[in-house]
Amino acid sequence: MSKSKKNYGCMMLVALCVANFIPNYAQYQLSPFAASIMSEFNISASQFSSLFTAPMIPAILLSLEAGMMIDKFNPKLVMGIAIGITMIGTILAALSGSYFMLFAALFMIGVGAAFINCNQAKLISGWYTPEKVTGKMGIVMGASTIAMAVALATTSLFSSRKAASTVSAIGGVIAFILWIVLYKVPEESGFEKDHAGEPGVIDGLKVVVKNKNIYIIAACMMAIMGANVVIGSFAPTALQERGIDAVAAGTYSAVYTIGCFLSCFIAPIVAEKLRSVKKTVILFAILAFFGTGFSVSYVPAGILLGAAMLLTGIFVGGSIPLLLGLPVQLKGVGPLYAGTAGGFISTIELIGAVVIPGYILVPISAGNYNILFLAGGICMLICAAIAILLPRTE
């Protein structure tokens, strides 16, 4: 890579990281203000939950469309519009005086994150070689985890929700400006030229839906999200049922999140050492079975539980950047259709995140957390089994 291209690649990563940081930061600012928000708008806990998950809705509704758009149109323009919508959402959140206005603002905040999630492989592949894509994706995904941790750790220092939201609004403006200033479309992408004769949006979708490896990746992601949502959502409550106090239970859950953050950097390194994404995903998934299935339920409180939760986060989260970076390396897909592929995978992945825990694992467990976490662990074994079908990328 030339020095000039490397510099542009670094600037692109900075712009992507900031753009991915802000929506996650704005979303997780809600958690410390849960009680005051419910009081402010006179809403129930269920309605607050709807507020908190509002930024996730665009990812379910728009991922496929976002991927198809980024493959066909100028990526700087497409992402600029998405990040601009997030910026407007952060401003509206700071100004909102009603439940519905805040809900709409939070929905808009999630648009930028949705577009980044399914298009990051496509954007990064324009500036880095295919074998470097997963490592750089780990950095971008790590920015979202850092945002969650920073929001949870610092939001309580603000005097009010609107004061905290004002900081998010300033960040939203900065993220939009950085994208416009720092991101440059690679010359070889052809987006700065006439598009006559290029494959259409439907052509890209046809290529993706006919590629069996895309379904294998999506199935792996569904299984991982089943385990991730179970441990991320129910670990604090399950730990409290074991007699661990609420503060300590929250801390152990935070350690799991830290593990997920570290995995964004560790997994690509392991894959490089093993010279195989496939082997790394299988290894991490098998180890994640033990972490998900037994850590919360059986490991004694203290250093051992903290270490177990950290390792569980690493093993559950580690396969995500590896799998999402694979479409760039697939024959017939590559960088040209990586956006559509990412959108297709993200849509199936998010459906799995909702359906598997809520409609399969929770009913099966019937209120028994030991069974619930074991079922989550089995999801990781299913991921390992499916990953055997992944193509070789050594």
Side-chain angles (χ1 to χ4, degrees):
M1 181 187 293
S2 67
K3 185 176 180 180
S4 174
K5 188 167 185 178
K6 183 176 181 181
N7 289 338
Y8 278 125
C10 290
M11 290 191 293
M12 178 274 301
L13 279 179
V14 170
L16 267 182
C17 285
V18 176
N20 206 25
F21 181 96
I22 293 303
N24 289 280
Y25 176 72
Q27 178 186 9
Y28 277 80
Q29 278 186 324
L30 295 177
S31 186
F33 284 116
S36 63
I37 290 174
M38 286 189 283
S39 176
E40 177 185 357
F41 298 122
N42 191 27
I43 59 176
S44 65
S46 177
Q47 288 174 303
F48 173 79
S49 178
S50 296
L51 280 178
F52 187 79
T53 56
M56 303 176 185
I57 298 175
I60 298 174
L61 300 178
L62 302 176
S63 288
L64 181 57
E65 292 82 356
M68 294 168 67
M69 289 170 64
I70 211 79
D71 281 340
K72 179 60 180 175
F73 304 109
N74 186 310
K76 182 170 185 174
L77 175 62
V78 173
M79 290 302 305
I81 293 172
I83 296 170
I85 292 172
T86 290
M87 175 188 69
I88 295 171
T90 59
I91 295 171
L92 291 177
L95 300 174
S96 61
S98 70
Y99 170 81
F100 293 105
M101 183 176 179
L102 182 57
F103 184 93
L106 289 165
F107 178 94
M108 294 174 70
I109 285 172
V111 172
F115 273 64
I116 291 171
N117 183 58
C118 63
N119 289 318
Q120 54 184 316
K122 170 86 173 186
L123 296 167
I124 293 170
S125 66
W127 292 107
Y128 293 94
T129 56
E131 60 270 17
K132 296 287 186 182
V133 169
T134 53
K136 303 307 178 184
M137 284 179 66
I139 295 174
V140 177
M141 294 175 69
S144 65
T145 310
I146 292 174
M148 298 173 194
V150 171
L152 293 172
T154 63
T155 300
S156 60
L157 300 176
F158 292 98
S159 59
S160 67
R161 174 190 66 83
K162 288 194 174 183
S165 296
T166 300
V167 174
S168 293
I170 294 171
V173 173
I174 293 173
F176 179 72
I177 293 173
L178 285 178
W179 180 260
I180 298 301
V181 173
L182 296 183
Y183 185 78
K184 177 179 171 65
V185 179
E187 292 181 3
E188 60 269 30
S189 69
F191 281 109
E192 293 182 344
K193 302 175 183 178
D194 182 22
H195 289 279
E198 290 186 358
V201 170
I202 301 301
D203 296 316
L205 184 58
K206 288 179 180 178
V207 169
V208 168
V209 298
K210 289 179 180 178
N211 192 306
K212 67 176 183 179
N213 291 317
I214 295 297
Y215 292 94
I216 295 171
I217 295 170
C220 286
M221 287 298 300
M222 282 184 70
I224 292 172
M225 291 308 296
N228 187 42
V229 171
V230 163
I231 198 166
S233 301
F234 295 101
T237 305
L239 289 170
Q240 288 178 62
E241 283 207 352
R242 286 180 51 186
I244 298 172
D245 68 81
V247 175
T251 301
Y252 288 126
S253 298
V255 170
Y256 171 78
T257 304
I258 293 171
C260 291
F261 165 69
L262 294 176
S263 72
C264 296
F265 306 97
I266 294 173
I269 294 174
V270 174
E272 187 174 351
K273 295 294 183 183
L274 295 179
R275 297 183 178 181
S276 172
V277 168
K278 178 177 179 176
K279 291 177 182 177
T280 306
V281 171
I282 293 172
L283 173 63
F284 273 45
I286 292 172
L287 293 172
F289 160 71
F290 294 101
T292 305
F294 303 103
S295 293
V296 174
S297 300
Y298 301 107
V299 176
I303 295 176
L304 283 178
L305 181 55
M309 294 297 285
L310 181 70
L311 290 172
T312 300
I314 291 172
F315 295 136
V316 172
S319 297
I320 296 175
L322 300 180
L323 290 167
L324 292 180
L326 267 182
V328 173
Q329 303 178 53
L330 294 180
K331 184 178 180 180
V333 179
L336 181 62
Y337 299 120
T340 301
F344 186 81
I345 292 168
S346 294
T347 301
I348 296 177
E349 164 199 343
L350 289 162
I351 292 173
V354 174
V355 173
I356 292 176
Y359 295 94
I360 300 176
L361 303 188
V362 171
I364 287 175
S365 65
N368 187 317
Y369 286 117
N370 293 348
I371 295 176
L372 178 61
F373 288 111
L374 181 60
I378 291 173
C379 283
M380 295 308 303
L381 284 184
I382 293 172
C383 173
I386 297 171
I388 295 173
L389 302 174
L390 287 171
R392 293 172 58 122
T393 56
E394 298 88 285

